[in-house]
Amino acid sequence: MPKKRPFLGAHVSIAGGVSKAFARGEALCCAAIQTFTKNATQWKAAPLSDEEIAEFKKERERTGIYAIGHDSYLINLGSPDKRLWEKSINAFLEELERAEALELPCLVMHPGSHKGAGDAAGLSSVSKALNHLLKKTSGFHVKILLENTAGQGAALGSRFKHLQQLIENSVAPDRLGVCLDTCHAFVAGYDLRGPRRYEMVMDKLDNTVGIAKVGAIHLNDAMKGLGQRVDRHQHIGRGMIGRECFRLIMNDRRFEDVPKLIETPKEWDGEEMDPINLGFLRSLVRRDNPV
């Protein structure tokens, strides 16, 4: 399916059924969308019916919108609690099965939290879980995108080297990639403000996980400052990162074929903000660089 330019979109709701996500993306003129495949605040969900799956594929074909998935926030593959860890593995397996049924190219996930056990123990738990899941789904096409985190509390994945370790320790590294979140990177200590600092961060990313491993980008400004490790998203250009970082990403040819998705607050003083944030990002694309 040819990709529309710029390759930009938003996280959209599946209220009323998974196929409804495409009409919401279409209303925002999205080239790409990110969505859950089930209620993200519940462990279990009714299986996807054949009719739902068919309608999802029909709507994707009709709109030409590229769609990726995001797993439930309840899942914690880094948990030291064996019962929660096993429950999370089973829940993530269900997420992968749903994504595969919908023929989603990738599923974004947060590595999890070590809950006080320490980074080494937490990353070991995540690696063990991912390897189990990758073996269990060896015939699947859907890739898992590890999202860098803000590092709030005991969250794993705030350092690029954490993601590198998970990929290098994988039984199927070709099925793992990275989702780069700008807010998370900034509050974790990666300074994206200005061309020189932006390139320094991109060099760090390339020297660890590799630029080619970036399968999606979450474009979010940050309410909190550099290195404060607090995960609070802000509207584009209205936070502590500022507009220059987003101009650089929107014109970075290394990310030309990478879907860029906003997860910014939906409203501002009662005004719907997705169209405004997306419009602002589109305005940053140089006329001589129609990515």
Side-chain angles (χ1 to χ4, degrees):
M1 183 183 298
K3 300 183 179 74
K4 303 173 185 177
R5 297 292 185 252
F7 203 5
L8 180 66
H11 183 98
V12 295
S13 169
I14 58 166
V18 291
S19 65
K20 304 297 183 183
F22 289 102
R24 295 183 176 107
E26 187 177 37
L28 293 168
C29 300
C30 291
I33 58 172
Q34 175 186 271
T35 188
F36 299 117
T37 68
K38 56 182 276 297
N39 189 319
T41 63
Q42 296 179 6
W43 285 100
K44 284 291 184 179
L48 291 167
S49 67
D50 291 342
E51 291 75 16
E52 285 180 289
I53 294 170
E55 187 63 23
F56 184 90
K57 294 177 182 179
K58 180 181 176 182
E59 280 291 278
R60 176 169 51 203
E61 181 66 25
R62 181 186 69 80
T63 61
I65 294 174
Y66 185 87
I68 70 172
H70 196 299
D71 76 331
S72 168
Y73 297 130
L74 298 174
I75 293 170
N76 182 8
L77 298 183
S79 176
D81 183 319
K82 187 177 180 181
R83 289 179 61 186
L84 178 58
W85 184 70
E86 291 177 347
K87 188 174 184 178
S88 295
I89 289 175
N90 292 331
F92 196 70
L93 176 59
E94 183 180 350
E95 297 270 7
L96 288 169
E97 290 170 342
R98 294 171 78 89
E100 185 73 6
L102 295 171
E103 297 179 359
L104 297 177
C106 51
L107 180 66
V108 178
M109 60 92 72
H110 295 183
S113 169
H114 61 70
K115 296 293 185 180
D119 287 350
L123 290 168
S124 177
S125 293
V126 177
S127 284
K128 186 177 179 181
L130 286 175
N131 283 337
H132 170 80
L133 288 159
L134 289 166
K135 290 175 184 177
K136 191 88 171 175
T137 61
S138 60
F140 284 24
H141 294 94
V142 61
K143 287 188 175 183
I144 299 169
L145 298 186
L146 307 167
E147 182 176 346
N148 64 299
T149 66
Q152 188 166 321
L156 299 161
S158 63
R159 314 313 302 163
F160 295 156
K161 66 181 181 181
H162 288 179
L163 308 183
Q164 177 188 20
Q165 180 178 329
L166 293 173
I167 293 170
E168 289 180 347
N169 291 342
S170 174
V171 295
D174 58 313
R175 284 190 56 205
L176 294 182
V178 170
C179 174
L180 175 65
D181 187 296
T182 53
C183 171
H184 296 173
F186 181 74
V187 299
Y190 294 102
D191 195 348
L192 294 158
R193 297 170 297 184
R196 186 181 66 83
R197 286 176 286 192
Y198 172 84
E199 283 303 329
M200 288 176 65
V201 172
M202 291 304 121
D203 285 345
K204 288 179 182 177
L205 180 65
D206 197 32
N207 291 331
T208 50
V209 300
I211 290 286
K213 279 288 188 182
V214 178
I217 299 175
H218 288 167
L219 297 178
N220 304 302
D221 212 323
M223 288 189 181
K224 299 297 181 179
L226 179 68
Q228 290 191 6
R229 299 169 70 95
V230 178
D231 187 4
R232 295 291 183 274
H233 296 187
Q234 181 57 291
H235 299 294
I236 305 298
R238 304 190 188 198
M240 302 299 290
I241 301 176
R243 69 174 61 190
E244 180 65 5
C245 163
F246 301 101
R247 183 189 68 78
L248 291 165
I249 291 178
M250 291 301 296
N251 293 284
D252 193 329
R253 289 196 175 274
R254 292 170 295 188
F255 301 130
E256 181 176 358
D257 294 321
V258 177
K260 304 162 191 69
L261 304 144
I262 61 169
E263 297 178 316
T264 44
K266 295 297 183 183
E267 294 185 356
W268 180 288
D269 290 335
E271 187 173 16
E272 292 290 329
M273 289 300 294
D274 277 358
I276 294 172
N277 283 311
L278 290 170
F280 179 67
L281 286 166
R282 292 185 186 107
S283 75
L284 298 177
V285 179
R286 296 195 312 269
R287 291 185 180 181
D288 63 340
N289 185 32
V291 295

